[in-house]
Amino acid sequence: MLQGVGAVAFLGASAAALKLPFFGTDGFEQDPASCRATDLSASQMKLIVSNWPSYIDADEDPSTLSIFEERTGIAVDYSDDVNDNAEFYAKVRNQLGSCTSIDRDLVMLTDWMAARFISLGWTQPYDKANVPNLHANLIDPLRNRQWDPDLEFHAPWQTGLTGIAYNASKTGEVRSFEELLTRADLRGRVTLLSEMRDTMAFLLKITGANPDDFTDDQWGVAIERLREVVASGQIRAFTGNDYTQDLAAGNILACEAWSGDVIQLQADNPDIKFVVPEEGLSLWSDNMLIPNQATHQANAEKWIDYYYEPAVAAQLAAWVNYICPVKGAQEEMEKIDPDLASNPLIFPDDDMLANTFDFMPLDAKQSNEYEGDWANVTGG
Amino acid sequence: MSQVADVPTEQVGDSSYDGLRLRGVSKTYPNGFTAVDTLDLDVPRGSFIALLGPSGCGKTTTLRMVAGLETPTSGEIRLAGDDITYAKPYKRPVNTVFQNYALFPHLDIFENVAFGLKRRKVKDVEAQVREMLALVELDSQARKKPTQLSGGQQQRVALARALINRPEVLLLDEPLGALDLKLRRSMQIEIKRIQTEVGLTFVHVTHDQEEAMTMADTVAVMNAGVIEQLGAPEELYENPRSTFVANFLGQSNLIEGTVVSRGSDVTSVDMHGIGVSVPTGRTHTDGEKGWIGIRPEKVLIGEEGEALDAPGNTIPGGVVTDVSFNGVSTQYLVRMPWGQELAVFAQNTGRTRIFRRGDRVELSWRPEYAFLLDFSQDASAGAQKGD
Amino acid sequence: MAEMTRRRGRTGYLLLLPAFLTLLVFFVLPFYSLIATSLYDPSGSDVEGFEMTYHFSNYWDAISDYSGPLFRSLVYGGVATLLCLVLGYVLAYAMAFKAGRWKYLLLVLVIAPFFTSFLVRTLSWKLILADDGFVVNTLQFLQILGDDGRLLATPVAVIAGLVYNFLPFMILPLFASLDRIDPRLIEASSDLYAHPFVGFFKVTWPLSLPGVVSGTLLTFIPAVGDYINAQLLGSTGQRMIGSVIQSQFVEANNYPAAAALSTMLMIVILAMVLVYVRRAGTEELL
Ligand SMILES: Nc1ncnc2c1ncn2[C@@H]1O[C@H](COP(=O)(O)OP(=O)(O)OP(=O)(O)O)[C@@H](O)[C@H]1O
Ligand SMILES: [Mg+2]
């Protein structure tokens, strides 16, 4: 979200790629069944992967990546060029919307964006026979998502929790989102996440709605509540990853936070605590998708199946520190690092997972509208 | 070494002098270079003095110290009795016509000229500026920008801009340097006319000796940070006190000689076996040896053995080595028996014939034209090459 | 003969071709498409596509919805530009007239921090202005800030960030025009009875006007469109128009609104620049 300096130029350039005359544009929906390339996996031992930064143990020796290459003979062209879901969407929408290749075989996108890709018909279904480990080992809380209940199109890469972090040396325990939004001693020293779904899920919860299934009216109540909170001066800012800096520097006392970030902060500052809010836990994943026109689908499926082996998943989790979506990895982790195996932010226990919720998939219309409301409230 | 011998040092700090007075002024730049070295100078009120000297001798530095744009390292500057050594430039009744004019490019001619008056909140600016522009004949250009004027016009604007303030002293730093010869001559006359008209003190810096001599009442010849000699143009020319002045102002023949005797009227000198005499008032050395100086146009040239109309000794044995005829006169180079070549300018009066290369000749001059200089000085100091 | 002339005529046009193509690709096409997008029916989406309905009220909607951030951007940009001018002038003046042979070295030193990324530089201001940081503590000690006062997440921090980030755009043209001023002109003014202070306003300042004009334009235009500073150093109350455009485009996928806002921002800035250049009277200068 921080990229895209010079939005004006950016906008002009992307819009120029649209049709020229003073006519409208067609919709971007595609049919994956027809918009697909011949799979060259058998002849080309190659795989092109786009992921978020610091999301793989590639610098270790051996790494899960190097073992994969050795075992399968596939040369992986790995880049960490996904920095932001919306931005990535803006970058590829003209290509995928017109059934053009984006020269990638696998991209990792967060749930809501994965849902959008799938609903636009931009991703290829997996061959179920090629990913048995996925179907066998995916942990239960991540199954049956509304937007792809049968795991036809997606497989979680890593999973995280959205909760509350606070600095225990400067303030008392913060137990709930409600407290975060109302406690007088936190006034002006709280940040929320600028990802609309992360934050609004909690506001919907607080205002008595179900984030998995809510109406426009309920949305209206929740956004109104947020507007009041912002107007009261409780919230200092809506941030991306940069809240970690503020928390460490003491500029803020508590904030909405992602579990993986907090584990990394705790390494330097044990006073930073992560709490599961009383309202519940928002569980999200970044998911592996095979975009239309990918030419190495079978190789991509080998990769997916490989990372769903518990031992591989444990090795990756030991480095990445996010929640491991693979059953059996906790036992494998005991062998690598028993401390990590008992860390609930990597292997959450059933109590924690009992009360998780998700954000309902939005269609394009709703998404435009809600994002617009959100932008207006968070922008003041 | 101060050459202003006639100014007694007791007068330092005397506040009755109404001109510009510099005493022991030195300027050493931060890089350690001494551009002006214990300089003494008196400029009487209302006079026109020219500071003449080769490039880099410290003329501009001297002017800048008078204007207040540079602070002297030591010494004292007084104007009409007031010590202005450390006065701020904008508080001195001194104005400068800069070497490159330094006209304000964003202001028109009128505003340039009015600048000083407006800063002093003088009344009646409009009329005064009109009058001044009329004096320098620029009335019709008042609303033009400096870049729209010719070099000579710009020069006059610079003059007007400084003059209008009626300063006690007007400093002109080679104001004519950038002009072509013809324009320069007419501007020289114009500046001289204006100075006579307004009666202000002018200090005019130049390295053009002709300009200095035609314009100024007094010429100060500067060399290496000091004033070598100061006086009326004729006096400097006729009776130079140093080899530098002898060579820098015009041209001189300098011949080695040994002092034989010093009388009350004349000094007798042996010049390569020939006895010559120099008036005491033109003898500027106490040493045993000296340079006998004589201007080329003062040397007479004649046939070998022919009697010359001169009371001094005849110097025989010359051979003409170079002849250049330029109509009014003829310039010769004559090799003397002791090997030196002397320059001789002969008027083409028609009384004598024009000699040719290789002719044997005799030279002579009237003793009252000769001068005797310190032998320790470099005989070629101040000589201009190719002049 | 006729053939020759025709040939030459055609060569002339061919030589113009690269410039023409560059202009077409980098200016005309994006601009054309930006305007087209701003007139789409806002009820469209990526799924259904956008219909061209010449929906001019996109502009009206954008103004009424976002006049706050638009006005705020102009104010922040204006204040930052003024501060840049004061600071930049002092620095450029010192470099041009007082630094002697060090001036180009100083120039490089002033510019050097700007070889690092914009983001990193801006984030470093978070440390400088932190609530427990030196600056805030000092201001609290001096009673300028209250005990729980802060700088981060206030307009002060946003403007400080803007000033810092856009200062070089001000310093460079100022230095260029100050460095060109002949110091003898300043001496001449002093010789003509102008106190240095008066000399500055009568000579130095008017001669540096071309630098002042280009410096303020080069600072003001990007500062108004910037949103990184507001996002990182500001709070919800400091959002600038660039950030609205960005979120309308990237997050809300409301391309018509984003395009209308961009076009409007361009028009507003252009109008202000024209008025400014007129008023500054640059044609009076050399
Ligand atoms: N700012 C300075 N720092 C160091 N040396 C200087 C400075 N200004 C002048 N000089 C030196 O001082 C000497 C005298 O300089 P000045 O400008 O007074 O000469 P000038 O007589 O005016 O010469 P010109 O006829 O070429 O104008 C020169 O050798 C010059 O190099
Ligand atoms: Mg000079």
Side-chain angles (χ1 to χ4, degrees):
Chain A
M1 186 174 316
L2 302 177
Q3 281 78 11
V5 184
V8 179
F10 182 25
L11 178 63
S14 339
L18 297 175
K19 294 191 170 171
L20 261 191
F22 262 57
F23 303 129
T25 61
D26 295 334
F28 281 141
E29 228 167 332
Q30 296 294 334
D31 178 3
S34 57
C35 181
R36 57 178 305 161
T38 326
D39 191 0
L40 305 175
S41 295
S43 56
Q44 287 184 351
M45 298 303 275
K46 221 182 125 181
L47 180 65
I48 309 170
V49 181
S50 272
N51 203 349
W52 298 69
S54 308
Y55 230 19
I56 199 165
D57 58 341
D59 293 339
E60 299 290 297
D61 190 28
S63 69
T64 54
L65 178 59
S66 66
I67 296 170
F68 174 75
E69 288 187 312
E70 209 172 296
R71 203 201 286 175
T72 60
I74 295 171
V76 180
D77 180 352
Y78 182 94
S79 49
D80 50 5
D81 57 351
V82 182
N83 287 300
D84 180 276
N85 285 304
E87 215 169 78
F88 190 79
Y89 173 79
K91 191 155 96 183
V92 301
R93 75 181 181 109
N94 286 323
Q95 286 145 292
L96 287 176
S98 58
C99 193
T100 315
S101 164
I102 58 168
D103 298 322
R104 291 171 175 87
D105 299 314
L106 212 51
V107 297
M108 320 283 179
L109 295 173
T110 310
D111 294 335
W112 64 276
M113 188 51 79
R116 185 191 284 187
F117 267 55
I118 293 168
S119 74
L120 282 166
W122 288 0
T123 68
Q124 292 294 320
Y126 303 158
D127 182 343
K128 198 169 176 180
N130 286 346
V131 287
N133 286 338
L134 167 64
H135 290 279
N137 294 343
L138 179 65
I139 56 173
D140 294 330
L142 294 180
R143 291 178 186 253
N144 291 317
R145 312 306 294 258
Q146 293 178 50
W147 38 275
D148 184 21
D150 299 327
L151 300 172
E152 278 178 275
F153 296 95
H154 86 281
W157 167 255
Q158 292 293 298
T159 296
L161 293 170
T162 306
I164 295 172
Y166 67 94
N167 188 333
S169 69
K170 308 215 166 170
T171 187
E173 195 188 358
V174 181
R175 271 157 307 203
S176 69
F177 220 78
E178 182 77 38
E179 272 184 53
L180 201 59
L181 301 187
T182 52
R183 235 165 72 179
D185 65 313
L186 299 179
R187 191 165 175 278
R189 326 256 340 229
V190 171
T191 62
L192 299 182
L193 292 169
S194 55
E195 284 275 356
M196 182 263 278
R197 287 166 181 78
D198 282 329
T199 303
M200 285 312 290
F202 281 105
L203 274 133
L204 284 160
K205 265 279 191 206
I206 288 174
T207 53
N210 178 6
D212 284 294
D213 184 16
F214 58 89
T215 64
D216 275 358
D217 289 344
Q218 288 174 318
W219 166 266
V221 172
I223 199 86
E224 195 45 47
R225 177 69 204 277
L226 181 64
R227 195 190 307 278
E228 286 160 16
V229 170
V230 168
S232 75
Q234 182 80 2
I235 309 302
R236 183 171 174 131
F238 290 84
T239 69
N241 283 86
D242 45 318
Y243 68 87
T244 55
Q245 211 188 3
D246 279 323
L247 193 62
N251 294 334
I252 57 173
L253 304 176
C255 61
E256 187 184 4
W258 288 309
S259 56
D261 288 341
V262 176
I263 296 182
Q264 279 160 25
L265 272 182
Q266 282 171 336
D268 294 332
N269 185 349
D271 288 328
I272 307 287
K273 304 283 185 227
F274 186 86
V275 281
V276 177
E278 283 168 3
E279 286 85 0
L281 259 183
S282 157
L283 192 64
W284 50 266
S285 308
D286 290 322
N287 307 286
M288 299 180 261
L289 304 176
I290 301 174
N292 287 352
Q293 299 289 2
T295 48
H296 308 99
Q297 170 152 2
N299 290 346
E301 286 161 352
K302 275 188 196 153
W303 164 288
I304 294 165
D305 209 47
Y306 167 74
Y307 274 101
Y308 270 84
E309 289 174 16
V312 176
Q315 192 183 342
L316 180 63
W319 194 88
V320 180
N321 289 174
Y322 270 90
I323 292 177
C324 180
V326 179
K327 277 186 211 162
Q330 191 164 15
E331 291 74 40
E332 292 292 332
M333 187 66 97
E334 292 286 355
K335 301 178 199 157
I336 304 173
D337 184 341
D339 274 354
L340 290 180
S342 58
N343 188 332
L345 293 183
I346 295 175
F347 298 103
D349 51 41
D350 293 343
D351 275 356
M352 267 172 94
L353 294 179
N355 193 13
T356 64
F357 51 82
D358 194 5
F359 199 88
M360 98 181 169
L362 304 176
D363 63 31
K365 199 99 219 98
Q366 287 170 314
S367 170
N368 284 12
E369 219 163 274
Y370 292 174
E371 288 280 7
D373 290 347
W374 166 255
N376 292 343
V377 171
T378 56
Chain B
M1 177 182 64
S2 164
Q3 296 283 326
V4 195
D6 10 43
V7 181
T9 39
E10 297 86 347
Q11 282 187 2
V12 171
D14 180 1
S15 59
S16 65
Y17 187 72
D18 67 349
L20 173 69
R21 169 164 286 178
L22 279 71
R23 278 294 171 273
V25 171
S26 295
K27 175 68 189 179
T28 303
Y29 281 112
N31 64 1
F33 183 81
T34 300
V36 174
D37 193 4
T38 2
L39 178 133
D40 291 336
L41 177 67
D42 277 349
V43 184
R45 195 185 188 92
S47 70
F48 192 133
I49 185 169
L51 267 186
L52 178 66
S55 185
C57 72
K59 304 182 296 290
T60 298
T61 306
T62 307
L63 278 204
R64 287 173 60 81
M65 287 192 287
V66 175
L69 301 173
E70 215 76 71
T71 312
T73 315
S74 63
E76 188 185 83
I77 302 174
R78 283 180 176 271
L79 182 56
D82 298 331
D83 186 348
I84 58 162
T85 318
Y86 301 107
K88 299 276 183 229
Y90 52 93
K91 289 193 172 151
R92 300 184 186 206
V94 173
N95 287 114
T96 311
V97 177
F98 290 87
Q99 195 158 359
N100 64 335
Y101 316 146
L103 298 178
F104 302 123
H106 59 298
L107 300 178
D108 64 20
I109 302 313
F110 185 97
E111 290 301 325
N112 263 284
V113 175
F115 195 91
L117 294 184
K118 288 191 171 172
R119 299 294 82 76
R120 286 184 303 154
K121 312 247 184 307
V122 170
K123 285 186 209 78
D124 207 17
V125 174
E126 172 90 23
Q128 286 196 51
V129 173
R130 295 275 163 222
E131 195 182 320
M132 183 50 68
L133 286 176
L135 181 71
V136 296
E137 295 165 4
L138 282 173
D139 349 29
S140 57
Q141 319 284 338
R143 289 302 164 197
K144 286 193 180 167
K145 288 286 173 64
T147 44
Q148 296 169 301
L149 299 188
S150 71
Q153 289 171 327
Q154 291 184 29
Q155 201 281 324
R156 279 181 278 160
V157 176
L159 192 62
R161 184 178 71 172
L163 263 185
I164 196 168
N165 302 296
R166 309 232 152 224
E168 301 264 339
V169 179
L170 186 74
L171 307 172
L172 302 103
D173 191 357
E174 301 199 38
L176 308 179
L179 306 182
D180 65 44
L181 193 65
K182 199 157 160 260
L183 194 54
R184 195 147 86 208
R185 292 287 171 255
S186 69
M187 285 308 302
Q188 284 170 2
I189 295 167
E190 195 148 342
I191 291 175
K192 184 67 195 170
R193 173 177 68 79
I194 291 170
Q195 194 262 339
T196 322
E197 242 174 82
V198 297
L200 299 177
T201 310
F202 276 38
V203 180
H204 182 111
V205 158
T206 178
H207 57 227
D208 176 348
Q209 46 162 305
E210 213 175 313
E211 185 172 302
M213 296 210 276
T214 51
M215 295 174 81
D217 313 326
T218 313
V219 174
V221 177
M222 257 191 103
N223 181 29
V226 299
I227 291 182
E228 292 257 342
Q229 191 173 351
L230 175 129
E234 321 79 73
E235 188 197 331
L236 283 190
Y237 185 79
E238 295 301 341
N239 187 9
R241 287 198 197 134
S242 66
T243 57
F244 179 83
V245 176
N247 290 322
F248 190 74
L249 275 187
Q251 213 178 325
S252 293
N253 293 305
L254 296 176
I255 309 154
E256 186 178 339
T258 311
V259 176
V260 177
S261 71
R262 292 172 183 272
S264 60
D265 292 339
V266 295
T267 308
S268 303
V269 188
D270 173 78
M271 180 181 84
H272 300 285
I274 300 156
V276 295
S277 55
V278 178
T280 310
R282 301 167 68 89
T283 302
H284 305 297
T285 177
D286 301 330
E288 270 176 33
K289 300 192 92 181
W291 294 111
I292 301 155
I294 185 75
R295 298 285 186 185
E297 73 275 13
K298 301 289 185 342
V299 182
L300 301 173
I301 185 168
E303 304 279 358
E304 201 168 29
E306 183 194 346
L308 284 168
D309 173 29
N313 280 336
T314 301
I315 307 138
V319 178
V320 175
T321 54
D322 190 66
V323 182
S324 59
F325 173 78
N326 65 15
V328 185
S329 64
T330 310
Q331 304 189 5
Y332 299 103
L333 278 183
V334 179
R335 182 181 305 284
M336 301 313 291
W338 57 91
Q340 191 178 4
E341 276 185 335
L342 299 184
V344 181
F345 298 167
Q347 289 288 316
N348 289 331
T349 56
R351 296 224 326 255
T352 48
R353 75 174 175 100
I354 292 168
F355 298 96
R356 269 190 272 275
R357 271 175 67 169
D359 287 356
R360 299 187 62 82
V361 293
E362 290 182 4
L363 303 183
S364 173
W365 58 78
R366 288 175 161 271
E368 60 263 39
Y369 291 142
F371 46 88
L372 190 68
L373 302 177
D374 194 304
F375 194 68
S376 64
Q377 293 174 3
D378 177 4
S380 63
Q384 279 147 324
K385 273 137 217 141
D387 204 26
Chain C
M1 191 65 204
E3 175 68 10
M4 279 267 297
T5 328
R6 251 187 50 213
R7 273 272 207 79
R8 200 176 302 145
R10 216 184 290 148
T11 319
Y13 288 119
L14 275 179
L15 286 175
L16 275 179
L17 205 62
F20 176 75
L21 282 180
T22 312
L23 202 67
L24 187 76
V25 171
F26 290 104
F27 184 73
V28 179
L29 289 189
F31 193 66
Y32 171 81
S33 134
L34 182 70
I35 300 219
T37 308
S38 74
L39 297 174
Y40 285 161
D41 191 322
S43 66
S45 73
D46 276 347
V47 177
E48 298 138 25
F50 287 88
E51 234 183 305
M52 170 52 93
T53 54
Y54 298 96
H55 201 93
F56 283 97
S57 57
N58 282 340
Y59 283 84
W60 180 242
D61 292 344
I63 293 192
S64 58
D65 289 351
Y66 301 109
S67 57
L70 183 61
F71 180 71
R72 184 183 300 134
S73 300
L74 294 174
V75 171
Y76 287 4
V79 172
T81 305
L82 257 175
L83 291 173
C84 275
L85 180 60
V86 173
L87 262 175
Y89 208 99
V90 172
L91 279 169
Y93 187 92
M95 285 192 294
F97 294 117
K98 309 284 175 198
R101 62 206 174 93
W102 300 108
K103 66 179 166 188
Y104 294 105
L105 181 72
L106 279 176
L107 193 65
V108 171
L109 287 181
V110 165
I111 309 296
F114 296 88
F115 292 126
T116 61
S117 116
F118 192 91
L119 264 179
V120 171
R121 269 183 286 137
T122 309
L123 281 171
S124 69
W125 272 82
K126 277 194 114 142
L127 292 179
I128 296 171
L129 300 178
D131 289 10
D132 275 342
F134 172 76
V135 176
V136 170
N137 285 338
T138 309
L139 290 177
Q140 282 170 342
F141 178 77
L142 298 172
Q143 304 282 313
I144 295 170
L145 267 182
D147 275 347
D148 52 343
R150 62 174 197 224
L151 290 177
L152 281 181
T154 67
V156 175
V158 177
I159 291 174
L162 286 173
V163 169
Y164 171 71
N165 276 312
F166 293 107
L167 194 56
F169 295 97
M170 184 64 90
I171 290 189
L172 282 177
L174 277 180
F175 174 78
S177 71
L178 283 169
D179 196 41
R180 263 186 23 210
I181 296 179
D182 187 343
R184 283 173 294 195
L185 292 177
I186 296 159
E187 288 181 352
S189 81
S190 163
D191 188 63
L192 291 165
Y193 312 102
H195 186 277
F197 201 66
V198 178
F200 174 80
F201 284 107
K202 293 286 174 191
V203 178
T204 314
W205 173 258
L207 286 176
S208 66
L209 269 186
V212 172
V213 171
S214 45
T216 42
L217 291 184
L218 283 176
T219 309
F220 181 71
I221 294 171
V224 170
D226 178 76
Y227 66 95
I228 299 285
N229 285 283
Q231 199 150 308
L232 292 182
L233 302 173
S235 170
T236 56
Q238 280 92 48
R239 201 162 68 137
M240 290 172 70
I241 194 70
S243 139
V244 175
I245 294 173
Q246 196 257 6
S247 73
Q248 285 297 321
F249 182 77
V250 176
E251 319 281 348
N253 301 133
N254 190 347
Y255 311 112
L261 277 173
S262 299
T263 312
M264 222 154 46
L265 182 62
M266 260 160 68
I267 293 171
V268 169
I269 290 180
L270 207 67
M272 294 182 74
V273 166
L274 282 179
V275 171
Y276 172 66
V277 171
R278 274 279 169 86
R279 290 289 300 277
T282 26
E283 70 273 7
E284 271 287 291
L285 297 165
L286 281 179

